[in-house]
């Protein structure tokens, strides 16, 4: 059955989301040519101008690039996921793209550093859960991240303290075990240089340019469910889609 445009998101964004999902799932792997503008227009029954906007958006997000003689080629390895992407995919039962995997490097109960205590809203020195992971894309480290949780979750969600992947993803596991449901989030990003820890985790030279992020996931009451810190290698786009209401 041919895909159909629904009247929810703007038509071009519906097509973008469809192609983006195919890229994330591995249906369209790195190096694969996507449909031409004319083919997209015919397949989705949209104008050439709208189809051109689709391809332009995918290029702007770093998901495809133009290659002379071939057209628009998937460049999934140049895109960096946002914290929102990770949480939403986990809650939907999808975690990593076909060419990605994560290695859990540490899962333990530790005394909260001051910045983490402030982020979680607990006193400094309080026991908190730390889960450290490295995400590999095509077996090459692309990002390193640490998830922090209130130590009180150790009893209700004990697998947070095991250094192994949770099949359903951490956000979904926490929701299942505690009833804490993500409602809102906040992300912060800054350009930075790789520390010794970043260099060791990502296999990049000390002082290399990196994108450093931290994020908060809140429940409907505004309580922090998870505080995350991550760093990703250079030359990857971090993309955020959002609605602006008046």
């Amino acid at each position: 059955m041919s895909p159909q445009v629904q009247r929810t998101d703007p038509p071009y964004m519906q097509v973008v989301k469809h192609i983006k999902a195919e890229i994330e799932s591995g249906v369209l792997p790195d190096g694969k040519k996507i449909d031409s503008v004319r083919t997209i227009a015919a397949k989705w029954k949209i104008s050439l101008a709208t189809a051109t906007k689709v391809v332009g958006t995918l290029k702007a997000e770093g998901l495809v690039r133009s290659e002379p003689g071939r057209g628009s080629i998937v460049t999934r390895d140049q895109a960096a996921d946002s914290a929102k992407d990770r949480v939403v995919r986990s809650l939907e039962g999808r975690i990593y793209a076909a060419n990605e995997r994560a290695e859990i490097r540490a899962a333990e109960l530790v005394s909260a550093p001051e910045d983490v205590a402030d982020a979680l809203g607990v006193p400094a020195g309080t026991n908190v859960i730390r889960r450290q992971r490295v995400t590999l894309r095509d077996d090459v480290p692309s990002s390193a991240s640490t998830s922090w949780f209130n130590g009180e979750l150790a009893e209700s969600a004990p697998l947070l303290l095991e250094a192994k992947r949770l099949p359903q993803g951490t956000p979904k596991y926490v929701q299942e075990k505690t009833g804490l449901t993500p409602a809102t989030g906040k992300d912060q990003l800054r350009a930075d240089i790789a520390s010794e820890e970043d260099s060791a985790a990502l296999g990049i030279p000390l002082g290399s340019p990196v994108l450093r992020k931290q994020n908060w996931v809140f429940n409907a009451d505004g309580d922090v469910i998870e505080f995350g810190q991550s760093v990703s290698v250079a030359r990857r786009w971090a993309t955020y889609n959002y609605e602006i209401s008046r």
Side-chain angles (χ1 to χ4, degrees):
M1 175 184 290
S2 297
Q4 298 284 322
V5 166
Q6 305 299 316
R7 298 302 174 186
T8 50
D9 292 325
Y12 88 93
M13 185 53 66
Q14 293 178 45
V15 184
V16 167
K17 287 182 176 179
H18 178 85
I19 297 174
K20 185 175 180 179
E22 291 189 325
I23 292 172
E24 290 178 342
S25 67
V27 172
L28 290 173
D30 283 341
K32 182 74 172 181
K33 178 183 174 181
I34 68 169
D35 287 337
S36 67
V37 167
R38 290 188 178 278
T39 300
I40 291 173
K43 182 182 292 185
W44 287 85
K45 297 180 175 60
I46 56 179
S47 69
L48 285 174
T50 300
T52 299
K53 192 173 183 180
V54 168
V55 176
T57 300
L58 292 169
K59 289 179 180 177
E61 293 192 10
L63 293 170
V64 302
R65 70 172 186 275
S66 293
E67 190 170 298
R70 292 192 64 195
S72 297
I73 309 302
V74 174
T75 53
R76 178 68 181 89
D77 61 339
Q78 294 180 11
D81 289 336
S82 68
K84 174 187 173 183
D85 291 332
R86 183 177 66 85
V87 172
V88 170
R89 281 205 309 267
S90 174
L91 295 177
E92 292 177 346
R94 302 178 294 116
I95 304 175
Y96 296 101
N99 64 334
E100 290 183 324
R101 63 184 177 87
E103 294 180 354
I104 307 301
R105 300 289 175 86
E108 56 193 343
L109 204 60
V110 300
S111 178
E114 186 174 351
D115 62 330
V116 173
D118 290 343
L120 289 175
V122 300
T126 300
N127 281 341
V128 294
I129 297 170
R130 176 175 65 188
R131 286 179 63 83
Q132 295 179 308
R133 71 181 67 79
V134 171
T135 299
L136 299 97
R137 187 167 290 164
D138 295 322
D139 291 324
V140 176
S142 61
S143 66
S145 60
T146 303
S147 295
W148 301 89
F149 302 89
N150 193 308
E152 295 177 353
L153 297 186
E155 183 175 348
S156 56
L159 294 185
L160 290 177
L161 294 175
E162 295 189 15
K164 62 181 182 181
R165 272 198 57 217
L166 299 169
Q168 68 273 63
T170 305
K172 185 68 172 179
Y173 172 72
V174 171
Q175 181 184 42
E176 291 172 350
K177 294 299 182 180
T178 68
L180 294 171
T181 301
T184 61
K186 179 175 73 174
D187 292 2
Q188 293 182 330
L189 303 89
R190 75 179 187 194
D192 208 346
I193 58 175
S195 65
E196 290 185 2
E197 183 178 359
D198 302 329
S199 176
L202 298 173
I204 57 178
L206 181 67
S208 297
V210 294
L211 179 63
R212 198 172 302 281
K213 313 174 198 176
Q214 56 185 21
N215 70 283
W216 290 257
V217 178
F218 305 93
N219 66 10
D221 295 325
D223 299 320
V224 179
I225 299 175
E226 176 184 351
F227 172 59
Q229 297 172 311
S230 66
V231 60
S232 56
V233 297
R235 299 184 184 279
R236 294 183 187 276
W237 289 104
T239 300
Y240 299 86
N241 296 312
Y242 55 89
E243 295 181 2
I244 299 176
S245 58
R246 297 181 179 179

